[in-house]
Amino acid sequence: MRQLTEDVRLLQETRDDMWARLPNVLAEDTPPGSDDEGNVELRRVGNPVEPDEARAHETVANRLGGIFDLARGGAVAGSGFYYWQGAGARLAWAVFSYTQDLLVQRGFTPMLTPLMARDHVFYGTGYLPFFADQTYKIEGTDLSLIGTSEQTLIGYYGDTIIDADDLPILATAFSPCFRTEASAAGRTNRGGYRVHQFHKVEQIVICAPEDSEHWLNECQRNAEDLLSSLELPFRTVRVGVGDLGAPAFKKYDTETWFPSFGAYHETHSNSNLTDFQSRRFKIRFRRDGKSVFPHTISATGITDRAVLAILENNVQPDGSVVVPEVLRKYLGGMERIEVPTKS
């Protein structure tokens, strides 16, 4: 009996590990393809400035007195870390504050969450086992640094039964985010585009299954409205099979124009995860006497990448950077970040 009990335990562990690695089903109209080349462009907004390597955000920031400082970040914490300082820090805070204000106006509840979470939270949101190599693990504990506040926002509702009258739940949080970028070889790595620590405003929705397509579109509208109001050129793509993470049923990426790269690069992602997370996390609501798994939406509100794009797109011939009009009230009316004068 002892041997049989151990055999059953090992078989159950193997079964559970296999179950944990099953991805979500895909929307029937998901574009085919083996990588991001299969993504399908849906629309473009704005007029891109001409490609120009001299507009690189790190170059622009250095001329402005080092308002975005990768060198000192590297000296203190290693490659992939940075400082915002002076007008750069104020500009970044303005972008994050403006984004949260817009989301709150549209019904999102602001939260500040833990910056660490237990393993079951990463499992419940689908980051374990699929993205284990992207996570900073705290040695000797079952804690890891979060890679997005999606993990802690969804985790807040883990193993709960939600009152159906409380749906939809709309939540947003600002947080630092930590990712190892262990599998990022060959991607855009120059400057501050791909780093180990960044800042993000997240938007998540927990809703009835029949409403998830609507809320996916609403979160997409929020992202595009933010970029439009910041006067940044962008395009939206429908993500294909080869570029779709395991938890997602349907996904849009919004890519902002970076003139130094001469290309659009992702600044926002927006996924309908259907009941993938709610099943793993045992999040339920009652309807007609039955327990139902709600659907979840995870979408970027804004990250530092948008601030980098402002530097590149708004730099002037004299080296100054025009502050988008919607941000000026957060900067005491500042219209430009000027190049410091030499004493």
Side-chain angles (χ1 to χ4, degrees):
M1 285 298 296
R2 282 197 298 270
Q3 184 59 52
L4 286 172
T5 300
E6 179 64 12
D7 290 346
V8 169
R9 185 186 68 79
L10 292 173
L11 286 169
Q12 288 175 330
E13 285 184 357
T14 301
R15 177 205 63 187
D16 292 346
D17 182 66
M18 293 173 70
W19 275 350
R21 296 177 186 276
L22 286 173
N24 203 345
V25 297
L26 298 180
E28 291 184 1
D29 60 346
T30 303
S34 58
D35 54 28
D36 59 5
E37 294 297 320
N39 295 347
V40 175
E41 183 177 306
L42 301 179
R43 55 189 165 272
R44 293 191 182 196
V45 176
N47 299 311
V49 298
E50 290 294 321
D52 185 356
E53 289 186 8
R55 287 177 172 264
H57 51 267
E58 62 270 36
T59 302
V60 174
N62 286 339
R63 290 184 64 185
L64 294 171
I67 64 171
F68 176 75
D69 197 329
L70 284 161
R72 297 313 303 165
V76 169
S79 176
F81 296 88
Y82 56 87
Y83 285 89
W84 286 110
Q85 63 174 326
R90 294 187 68 193
L91 179 64
W93 273 119
V95 168
F96 301 136
S97 298
Y98 170 64
T99 299
Q100 284 215 302
D101 283 352
L102 183 143
L103 292 176
V104 168
Q105 289 169 9
R106 295 186 177 183
F108 284 74
T109 298
M111 298 178 73
L112 287 173
T113 83
L115 298 183
M116 292 182 249
R118 298 183 185 276
D119 288 345
H120 79 273
V121 174
F122 287 85
Y123 169 81
T125 48
Y127 286 83
L128 286 179
F130 300 107
F131 307 107
D133 64 341
Q134 293 293 308
T135 302
Y136 279 105
K137 181 74 176 172
I138 308 300
E139 187 175 354
T141 75
D142 71 341
L143 292 168
S144 298
L145 295 173
I146 64 171
T148 165
S149 61
E150 169 199 349
Q151 294 154 350
T152 43
L153 288 171
I154 297 294
Y156 182 85
Y157 296 94
D159 199 19
T160 60
I161 298 177
I162 300 168
D163 192 321
D165 292 337
D166 291 336
L167 296 178
I169 292 170
L170 314 179
T172 180
F174 166 84
S175 74
C177 303
F178 305 88
R179 298 183 188 178
T180 67
E181 295 293 353
S183 58
R187 300 181 182 180
T188 304
N189 290 311
R190 198 210 70 226
Y193 181 80
R194 195 173 297 282
V195 289
H196 296 311
Q197 178 185 332
F198 59 97
H199 307 91
K200 183 182 184 187
V201 175
E202 179 75 357
Q203 44 180 338
I204 67 106
V205 178
I206 301 174
C207 63
E210 63 272 17
D211 296 332
S212 62
E213 178 70 13
H214 165 77
W215 286 109
L216 178 73
N217 292 333
E218 285 299 296
C219 288
Q220 186 61 33
R221 179 173 73 94
N222 294 339
E224 295 187 17
D225 285 353
L226 282 162
L227 289 174
S228 292
S229 62
L230 293 172
E231 302 177 60
L232 291 172
F234 66 88
R235 71 171 190 163
T236 294
V237 301
R238 175 74 185 277
V239 177
V241 173
D243 196 31
L244 204 60
F249 167 79
K250 182 177 181 178
K251 182 180 180 184
Y252 298 111
D253 276 352
T254 308
E255 302 174 346
T256 302
W257 177 253
F258 284 82
S260 70
F261 295 130
Y264 293 93
H265 284 297
E266 179 204 329
T267 53
H268 294 70
S269 63
N270 176 22
S271 299
N272 184 348
L273 304 158
T274 61
D275 59 1
F276 184 86
Q277 292 180 330
S278 60
R279 285 180 179 275
R280 292 164 78 96
F281 241 137
K282 298 179 182 177
I283 303 171
R284 296 142 290 166
F285 72 98
R286 296 274 183 201
R287 182 162 64 185
D288 299 328
K290 297 180 180 179
S291 182
V292 181
F293 292 108
H295 284 190
T296 60
I297 310 296
S298 171
T300 307
I302 211 83
T303 72
D304 301 78
R305 287 180 177 177
V307 191
L308 302 179
I310 290 172
L311 296 181
E312 294 203 6
N313 285 278
N314 290 17
V315 63
Q316 303 301 300
D318 65 357
S320 66
V321 169
V322 174
V323 175
E325 187 171 350
V326 294
L327 301 181
R328 293 175 186 174
K329 66 180 181 180
Y330 300 94
L331 292 162
M334 182 190 300
E335 297 182 3
R336 288 187 183 222
I337 301 175
E338 300 286 356
V339 176
T341 56
K342 294 181 180 180
S343 56

